[in-house]
Amino acid sequence: MKSRALLNLLADGQIHSGESLAASLGVSRTAVWKQIKRAVDEGYSIETIRGRGYRLMTMVDLLDAEAIMARLSTQLRSTITSLKVHDELDSTNAEIIRQRAQNRSSETLICLADHQTAGRGRRGRQWQSPRGENLYLSFGLIFRGGFAMLDGLSLVLGLAVAQALEKQGVNDVGLKWPNDIFVRDSKLAGILVELQGELEEGVIHVVAGIGVNVHMSRAEGLEQAWTSLARSMPDRAWQRNQLAADVIASVLQASEQFAVTGFEGFRSRWQSRDIFNGQPLTTVDGMLSGTGCGVDYQGNYLIAVDGEIEKVRAGEISLRTRS
Ligand code: BTN
């Protein structure tokens, strides 16, 4: 977004003269006019008031790496190798994979984008990623101990996001196995974990991408009921930088604990948010139907079928409620 500095100046919703904007930005008034035009083309609503200047008509919620870092504790900041905010990317997960290819040994990579042109969802689906509206955030994390110790990691990440949302005052945050975040009956956020190969023996690079719907009010072609923070709690002025910082803090803390305790240290907290528990469930292939009973220590979902407990492995099959 080339007009970011201009939008920062206009973000207070007051009228700013072309002259004062030009002085603050160190450019000519013609250049200011061009930037205003570009911002309008990008979808920002800016009113031109003859003889007085310009006024931003809608709230903007710009992402900013420094603002996010400033909201993290010094201790957490010291664990982050790099945190970048991009105006536009194909996918933040893809960007982390590219970054890791260049720098194999750096520990924690974080990247956000204001807009994704090819946002990836689970099961090959697209993730709707309109400009300026939501949070598109990916982590490059390193875990030692081989692939086996990663059982349940994606559930833990879902729990970490749920806890960050709760910290922001969101009530009734539930988890739909394996790692969708729901508010009441609608999906608010999703997680895509992509396991990369071993960097060296037993050292695994994990890409964890998180999408949280923040301001989104319209979306076309989504298969399931969805919500956004603005839809669920319209009276709040949601700030993506604060939300990003809370999600980052929660994910980094959870990852650190996960490296020590594995999923065992999180299982009961995960179960308390399980929206499938006690529900009549069926696998999408229709092969198994029963009642939801929570997860085992590997993060597999358990279903009671005719008095027997059957296991459904994450990544192999989807579950839905039977109506
Ligand atoms: C899902 O299908 O529920 C998972 C959605 C994950 C979307 C996020 S947005 C940030 C990151 N980059 C991507 O391309 N996908 C993930």
Side-chain angles (χ1 to χ4, degrees):
M1 192 201 314
K2 303 234 170 46
S3 39
R4 172 179 288 273
L6 172 80
L7 288 167
N8 265 327
L9 293 171
L10 292 174
D12 60 7
Q14 302 298 307
I15 302 171
H16 293 259
S17 70
E19 201 172 6
S20 70
L21 291 171
S24 305
L25 296 170
V27 298
S28 67
R29 286 178 63 175
T30 312
V32 168
W33 178 80
K34 282 188 184 159
Q35 285 194 29
I36 295 274
K37 196 170 167 308
R38 198 182 300 125
V40 170
D41 289 345
E42 280 172 0
Y44 294 99
S45 168
I46 300 172
E47 185 185 22
T48 304
I49 304 160
R50 277 188 74 165
R52 295 184 66 196
Y54 305 99
R55 180 168 56 186
L56 190 61
M57 300 304 288
T58 46
M59 202 205 69
V60 286
D61 177 22
L62 298 176
L63 279 175
D64 182 81
E66 273 179 32
I68 295 170
M69 281 299 233
R71 287 168 168 81
L72 296 172
S73 68
T74 319
Q75 193 275 327
L76 271 180
R77 276 203 297 264
S78 69
T79 65
I80 299 173
T81 315
S82 104
L83 184 153
K84 289 188 186 149
V85 171
H86 298 259
D87 178 35
E88 181 175 296
L89 282 175
D90 49 354
S91 147
T92 52
N93 272 26
E95 176 62 17
I96 290 287
I97 293 167
R98 287 188 289 266
Q99 260 186 274
R100 179 63 79 202
Q102 282 174 3
N103 193 342
R104 291 171 64 81
S105 58
S106 50
E107 285 288 317
T108 302
L109 306 170
I110 301 179
C111 123
L112 297 96
D114 200 43
H115 170 51
Q116 296 185 120
T117 54
R120 303 176 185 170
R122 289 182 66 236
R123 303 185 167 273
R125 294 196 193 99
Q126 277 203 339
W127 185 255
Q128 296 226 359
S129 311
R131 181 180 294 285
E133 302 219 4
N134 301 325
L135 208 57
Y136 317 116
L137 161 69
S138 294
F139 295 80
L141 303 168
I142 287 181
F143 291 93
R144 292 172 175 80
F147 284 101
M149 67 82 68
L150 297 179
D151 284 346
L153 174 63
S154 74
L155 281 73
V156 167
L157 295 171
L159 179 64
V161 174
Q163 286 172 334
L165 290 166
E166 198 163 76
K167 187 170 169 227
Q168 286 270 321
V170 187
N171 294 322
D172 301 324
V173 188
L175 292 166
K176 177 175 165 238
W177 183 87
N179 50 15
D180 284 348
I181 290 103
F182 267 58
V183 171
R184 289 170 282 283
D185 293 332
S186 306
K187 182 163 167 175
L188 174 69
I191 297 181
L192 177 66
V193 176
E194 299 186 76
L195 294 187
Q196 301 295 294
E198 286 182 308
L199 293 168
E200 55 190 80
E201 206 185 328
V203 181
I204 316 292
H205 174 216
V206 173
V207 180
I210 297 168
V212 183
N213 299 332
V214 184
H215 300 292
M216 193 158 80
S217 57
R218 270 183 312 167
E220 269 147 43
L222 290 186
E223 282 167 28
Q224 54 184 335
W226 64 275
T227 191
S228 63
L229 291 172
R231 267 190 157 190
S232 301
M233 297 173 69
D235 297 335
R236 275 279 296 277
W238 294 99
Q239 288 191 355
R240 288 186 299 163
N241 291 326
Q242 185 60 56
L243 188 65
D246 285 351
V247 170
I248 290 168
S250 192
V251 164
L252 294 183
Q253 280 153 2
S255 304
E256 204 183 324
Q257 192 200 326
F258 179 81
V260 180
T261 65
F263 184 55
E264 200 171 335
F266 297 86
R267 184 168 164 257
S268 64
R269 274 179 285 160
W270 195 93
Q271 309 260 55
S272 66
R273 293 181 187 272
D274 174 15
I275 65 172
F276 278 159
N277 192 20
Q279 297 293 315
L281 299 177
T282 181
T283 53
V284 279
D285 60 5
M287 297 295 280
L288 210 59
S289 292
T291 306
C293 302
V295 284
D296 67 11
Y297 283 107
Q298 271 95 44
N300 302 309
Y301 204 82
L302 304 173
I303 310 182
V305 184
D306 302 328
E308 301 281 320
I309 298 291
E310 301 281 350
K311 234 183 237 185
V312 181
R313 284 187 68 81
E316 282 178 7
I317 207 142
S318 281
L319 284 171
R320 55 184 160 81
T321 45
R322 210 160 8 107
S323 41

